[in-house]
Amino acid sequence: GAVVSQHPSWVICKSGTSVKIECRSLDFQATTMFWYRQFPKQSLMLMATSNEGSKATYEQGVEKDKFLINHASLTLSTLTVTSAHPEDSSFYICSASRGLAGSNEQFFGPGTRLTVL
Amino acid sequence: GQNIDQPTEMTATEGAIVQINCTYQTSGFNGLFWYQQHAGEAPTFLSYNVLDGLEEKGRFSSFLSRSKGYSYLLLKELQMKDSASYLCAVKDSNYQLIWGAGTKLIIKP
């Protein structure tokens, strides 16, 4: 159990376009979902935390108008990279958690590799 | 500030044992996680410690000392497929997961 999917797994787009990435918890209800970005050979960088039905909490330095997060249901969160630029090329990973309790691990999606030309 | 330290890279031999250390300084503590991440893939959960002591799970064990702000991940009978990055993460008082930069483990035949 506790499977998280992401779609698409990879995407190539032109500079200036917008890209939407979906994150779904397939067999559990995720009260909290997280969006991470990871550049090559670097660690995970948390971008934002979202709870179903409320606005996402963005980490310092992450532009909320550029990275739009919608957490419409307990099983779906979306990240839209608006007006993408080559520097936005990265590995975007979502994770989902059943709750805040200490033992609640985050279950990770397989990631989406974004390349902006 | 909040900080998690782990070695950047370690090398070990197939069949041997390796210990990856993690020290942390966080505002509060609600558990420590170890994740494994193969290149180009998402992290996968390995272990969770909230009380002091050793948690064993097959070839992998994780140890925690809260008073010392210290944990280690012990990998036994190393296999080539264990070559990966190992991420230490701590949940702080706000239940936010603070991530270490990861330790890249290279296994040699």
Side-chain angles (χ1 to χ4, degrees):
Chain A
V3 177
V4 176
S5 70
Q6 261 182 262
H7 178 81
S9 56
W10 59 271
V11 57
I12 300 173
C13 69
K14 292 182 179 179
S15 186
T17 60
S18 294
V19 175
K20 179 186 281 189
I21 303 170
E22 290 188 351
C23 177
R24 294 182 184 271
S25 57
L26 299 184
D27 53 2
F28 69 100
Q29 292 188 326
T31 52
T32 309
M33 285 185 167
F34 305 84
W35 286 97
Y36 293 87
R37 183 165 53 181
Q38 187 175 36
F39 292 105
K41 300 184 180 180
Q42 295 187 23
S43 187
L44 297 171
M45 187 188 82
L46 180 65
M47 298 176 68
T49 302
S50 74
N51 294 295
E52 183 263 338
S54 61
K55 289 183 178 180
T57 302
Y58 289 80
E59 294 299 301
Q60 198 169 12
V62 178
E63 301 173 57
K64 61 181 180 181
D65 294 330
K66 180 170 180 63
F67 299 99
L68 302 178
I69 292 172
N70 184 286
H71 193 160
S73 75
L74 285 171
T75 59
L76 173 64
S77 176
T78 60
L79 167 68
T80 302
V81 182
T82 62
S83 187
H85 291 284
E87 56 265 31
D88 298 324
S89 298
S90 187
F91 191 43
Y92 291 86
I93 310 172
C94 77
S95 70
S97 175
R98 290 188 178 99
L100 293 178
S103 61
N104 284 335
E105 65 186 271
Q106 291 183 22
F107 301 96
F108 286 86
T112 296
R113 191 161 301 282
L114 170 64
T115 301
V116 184
L117 302 176
Chain B
Q2 311 211 84
N3 195 48
I4 296 186
D5 285 316
Q6 46 181 135
T8 304
E9 188 174 296
M10 298 182 71
T11 303
T13 305
E14 189 177 15
I17 299 173
V18 71
Q19 177 175 310
I20 302 174
N21 296 324
C22 170
T23 57
Y24 62 89
Q25 292 153 336
T26 57
S27 56
F29 179 83
N30 278 300
L32 183 145
F33 296 80
W34 283 97
Y35 283 84
Q36 178 191 60
Q37 185 179 24
H38 285 100
E41 299 180 12
T44 56
F45 170 79
L46 288 179
S47 68
Y48 169 74
N49 294 70
V50 67
L51 300 177
D52 291 349
L54 189 68
E55 295 279 342
E56 296 186 78
K57 193 184 292 185
R59 293 190 299 115
F60 293 5
S61 302
S62 57
F63 171 83
L64 174 67
S65 168
R66 288 171 296 171
S67 62
K68 296 182 179 178
Y70 167 71
S71 172
Y72 67 72
L73 181 68
L74 191 71
L75 293 77
K76 303 177 184 176
E77 301 168 18
L78 286 170
Q79 302 175 8
M80 297 303 292
K81 67 178 182 180
D82 297 329
S83 292
S85 287
Y86 291 85
L87 308 173
C88 174
V90 173
K91 273 198 178 182
D92 67 10
S93 56
N94 294 321
Y95 294 97
Q96 182 164 346
L97 207 55
I98 311 300
W99 292 88
T103 298
K104 182 179 180 181
L105 177 63
I106 300 168
I107 310 296
K108 295 185 175 179

